[in-house]
Structure formats: C-alpha cells, structure tokens
Amino acid sequence: MKNALRAFGFMGAIAMTSAAYAVGAGTVSASDASRGVSSMTTGVYANNNRGNQGLANAYRTNQRNTYYMVNQPDVDTACRERIYKCLADYCGDVTVVPGQTSGRCTYATESELYNYALLCLQKDTSILLPQYGVNTQNGSNGMNTAARLCPAYVQQELMSYMSMANMANQLSKSHSDLCLQRRQELEAAMSCHSVALAYGNETSSMLTSQLTDYCGAGVPGGSAEMVTRFASAGNVGANIWGWAEKIVSLDLNKKGSDWQAAVDAVLAGYTNRMNLACGDNMQLNTVSYNTSNNEPSALQTAAALAIGVAFPSAPNIKENPYENQSVWMNVQSMSDVWDWASAQQVVRAGLSNVATTQNAFLTTAQMDDMQTAYKRGTKVFILRDSARCYIVPVTQLTDRETTAIAQSFANCISK
C-alpha cells in the first residue's frame, strides 16, 4: 500500500512540474527584466507600450525633429535677420522709392555701420533659436543669445546690406525726375557737340543759328545757356593778347588752336552732371587733336610789318599721324587695386613687360593694347577694379587735357 502511494505521489509531482513548465513558457515573472519584450508578431513593445503605441511615439518624435530642422532657422540665418533689423532700424529699410535721391546712410562709412551693428547686438540678450529639447527648455539662456553668437556674422551681413542699399539707391536715382532731365540735357549737348565741331570755323551767327536748331530752348533738354557755351568754346579773347589778335586780324569769330578740346570739355561737363544725377559712369572718349601750327599769328605779322623784322617761326613739331587716337584708355583690372601707387605699378608693368608675361592684374591682350595705344599717343590710362578707378598719366598733359580728364573722371582717384 505504501509503495502504491509513493508511486502515485511521484507521478503527481512529475505532472505538476510539467504543468508549471508549460505555464511559464508564455509568461514572465513580475521581477523578470524582459517583461513586455516579445517579437514583432505579438504587438507588444518595450517601456510598457502595448499594441502600436511605441511606433506612434517614435513617429511623433521624428515628426517633431523634422519640423524644427525644416522650419526653424540655423544660427547663420537667425543672425542675419537680427543684424539686418539693427541696420534697418538705423538707416531705414532698403526700399526703392520713385524720386528718392538720398537716405540716412547714403554717405555712411563702413566703420560707422559696423560699430552700430555691434552695439545693437550687445544689447540683444534674447533667445536666438527656439529650444525644443526637454533637457534645454528650462536651462539658462546665456549661450543662446544674439549678443554671443552673432558678432562673427556682422562683417558678412554688412557687406550684403551695403550692396543692397547701393543698388536700391542707384535704381532710385535712375528713375528720378532729375535723372530724366539730365539725360535729355546730355542728348541735346551731344547734338550740339557734333554741330560745334562741324561749324566751329564758320561765322559766329551761322554757328549760333545751327546750335539753336539742335539744342536751343525749344529742344527737349536744350537751353539758350547751352547754345552760348558751345558757341563760345575755344574763342580767342580770354586775355588781352587774344583780343589784340582778333582786332588785328579783323576776325571776331576766330578760335584758338585747341578749340576742339574746349568743345569736348563743355560736353564733358554735361556728362558729369548726368552721372551725378543718375548714379551712372558714362564716359566721354575724346580724341587727341592736332594743334601744331607753324604759321605766324596775325599779331606777329602786324608787329613784323611795323618794325620790319620777321618773327622766327615756331619750331617744327612732328605731327601725330594718328589724328583720332584717344587721349586716355580704360583698363579693367582682374584683381582689386587698393591705392594709387599700386595702380601706377600695374600700368607701368603693362607698358614695360612683354605682353606674354604672366600678370595677376592684366591679360596678354590688355597689355598688348596698352603698349599699342601708348605708341600712338595715349597719355593717360584709367585703371579700374571692382569698386575703384585710378587716373595714371604716363606723359605730360596739357592744361586742356588735364581739365577734360578731371571733368570726365571726377569720381576717379588721382595722385
């Protein structure tokens, strides 16, 4: 009997052990570290997220991060907005207003605007970028302010702002009423310039009549003052000897030997007026006129008749075979030139070096053209870079040529 009870008890223990193992195969204990972790097919995820809750949380986090990366600016963009606001508050926003010819910062220097932008940023201690991370939302704002992060971007943004302001100012000038008036005035002056050169040696009445038809008071942009200026350009009589010359020769319409250059100087004055009003850089390219004259003047002839001794004729000056050669030549530099001394060195190198010599400022074609122009009588080279221009003479200039160059290139740097 006892043996039978032992046998039944042993078999019951085996059955209970097997059932316990069968139950434990699909469950975990409360203290088990793998609680809630199963394969993808069961729909149960970590951190007690059941069903698709974990997938939904991951999707929400990804959407939030994507939103901030796409819609929130980076440091560079945020600083540009702050710096632009500082400059716009100081100068006024960059807008194109019809008829606007000047603004508060039109003549402001770069250092002035740079210092103001820095001072404006030093007072800006607000949060530069939004903090969406849980660990930084309640943190201090000392590291995330415009005063700390933006000064490094001031120089770059200042250049961009000044470029936009200059372009807006140029556009406003070119559409202003004063600019349109100056353009019409220059068109009339160019017509009178051609007439003055064609009829310069005619009588004063004929010259005045022709000028009145082309640039008189009835012509758009013309005026009686313009007619007088072109009619009187180059007239002999600026001094006592000039009047004596007229009286002796009985030719009250006589002009000096360099009267063509005087006519060019009048046109250069109107060109400069238009450049100042419109913000343009139009240039008058005049020619080198032949002014050599070996004939004795009427005053010398009269004096020779009075005393019976002839004046010696002027020394024979070799005439320039290139009558239409320009007095100056424009040269565009490939690199920036920062001062007049450097510009002079660039011009001298272009004239003295072999055209095939490697040069950081001039191309081979430019050096060849410069040397050819110099041989034919060009006296001045106008060297330009991205922002400046320099007047570099290579030979002695006459007073007329100096005046014409000064009027035509009033915005260029000379020695």
Side-chain angles (χ1 to χ4, degrees):
M1 188 65 181
K2 291 182 179 180
N3 292 332
L5 292 174
R6 288 178 180 175
F8 282 115
F10 182 74
M11 293 175 63
I14 292 175
M16 292 176 64
T17 303
S18 300
Y21 276 109
V23 172
T27 61
V28 293
S29 63
S31 61
D32 198 334
S34 64
R35 178 178 176 83
V37 180
S38 65
S39 64
M40 294 292 292
T41 59
T42 62
V44 181
Y45 291 83
N47 300 324
N48 296 325
N49 293 327
R50 297 184 180 278
N52 293 323
Q53 184 63 39
L55 182 61
N57 291 340
Y59 178 78
R60 182 178 61 184
T61 302
N62 182 69
Q63 287 293 97
R64 182 188 64 182
N65 294 339
T66 302
Y67 171 81
Y68 278 102
M69 285 190 296
V70 173
N71 295 280
Q72 298 300 327
D74 55 354
V75 176
D76 179 76
T77 304
C79 284
R80 285 178 180 273
E81 293 177 356
R82 296 293 178 90
I83 297 170
Y84 184 88
K85 184 178 183 303
C86 288
L87 295 173
D89 292 341
Y90 182 68
C91 299
D93 202 0
V94 177
T95 56
V96 179
V97 180
Q100 177 182 348
T101 57
S102 62
R104 181 176 180 182
C105 293
T106 302
Y107 300 102
T109 61
E110 179 182 343
S111 60
E112 175 187 347
L113 298 180
Y114 180 78
N115 292 333
Y116 179 82
L118 287 180
L119 291 174
C120 180
L121 290 178
Q122 289 299 320
K123 297 183 296 183
D124 191 350
T125 57
S126 60
I127 298 175
L128 181 64
L129 296 175
Q131 300 177 352
Y132 57 91
V134 177
N135 58 338
T136 59
Q137 278 184 348
N138 300 323
S140 61
N141 300 328
M143 299 294 293
N144 188 13
T145 61
R148 183 175 182 86
L149 299 177
C150 294
Y153 298 92
V154 171
Q155 186 69 31
Q156 181 180 3
E157 180 60 16
L158 179 61
M159 293 294 100
S160 176
Y161 180 87
M162 294 182 68
S163 176
M164 290 188 296
N166 289 334
M167 292 179 66
N169 188 43
Q170 295 292 332
L171 189 59
S172 298
K173 282 186 174 182
S174 63
H175 287 79
S176 65
D177 295 337
L178 180 61
C179 175
L180 297 179
Q181 294 175 6
R182 291 290 185 262
R183 289 188 189 278
Q184 286 186 341
E185 182 183 65
L186 181 60
E187 291 178 1
M190 293 177 70
S191 299
C192 272
H193 177 264
S194 302
V195 172
L197 291 178
Y199 294 90
N201 290 321
E202 302 294 337
T203 62
S204 178
S205 59
M206 182 177 182
L207 175 60
T208 303
S209 176
Q210 292 292 333
L211 292 174
T212 303
D213 293 339
Y214 281 88
C215 62
V219 179
S223 63
E225 178 187 2
M226 184 181 296
V227 172
T228 304
R229 287 186 178 182
F230 279 103
S232 303
N235 279 353
V236 175
N239 51 52
I240 185 63
W241 298 111
W243 284 111
E245 179 79 13
K246 284 189 173 185
I247 294 173
V248 170
S249 62
L250 297 179
D251 185 2
L252 301 181
N253 301 313
K254 186 175 181 181
K255 296 180 178 293
S257 58
D258 53 353
W259 63 271
Q260 297 99 330
V263 174
D264 290 342
V266 174
L267 180 59
Y270 286 105
T271 305
N272 199 36
R273 281 161 59 94
M274 189 276 296
N275 288 337
L276 293 175
C278 301
D280 292 344
N281 192 26
M282 184 176 179
Q283 304 161 21
L284 172 64
N285 193 15
T286 61
V287 298
S288 178
Y289 300 103
N290 181 21
T291 59
S292 62
N293 185 9
N294 295 331
E295 298 296 328
S297 65
L299 190 59
Q300 289 178 333
T301 303
L305 293 175
I307 62 176
V309 177
F311 279 79
S313 61
N316 186 17
I317 301 176
K318 185 178 180 180
E319 296 183 1
N320 182 12
Y322 304 97
E323 289 291 339
N324 296 324
Q325 179 64 31
S326 175
V327 178
W328 58 75
M329 177 180 178
N330 282 284
V331 180
Q332 183 67 41
S333 174
M334 297 184 295
S335 303
D336 287 336
V337 183
W338 300 105
D339 51 37
W340 186 87
S342 300
Q344 186 183 40
Q345 292 180 358
V346 172
V347 171
R348 288 180 176 178
L351 294 177
S352 58
N353 292 341
V354 180
T356 55
T357 304
Q358 187 175 2
N359 194 315
F361 299 90
L362 304 173
T363 63
T364 299
Q366 285 177 318
M367 289 191 288
D368 185 66
D369 292 341
M370 289 173 62
Q371 294 173 10
T372 302
Y374 177 73
K375 294 176 183 177
R376 294 183 176 181
T378 297
K379 299 182 178 181
V380 177
F381 290 91
I382 309 299
L383 185 65
R384 299 179 179 275
D385 61 5
S386 59
R388 293 159 292 272
C389 62
Y390 301 92
I391 302 174
V392 183
V394 292
T395 58
Q396 189 68 31
L397 300 175
T398 64
D399 293 339
R400 293 286 188 182
E401 292 169 343
T402 303
T403 302
I405 291 174
Q407 291 175 340
S408 299
F409 302 98
N411 59 332
C412 293
I413 302 171
S414 58
K415 184 176 179 181

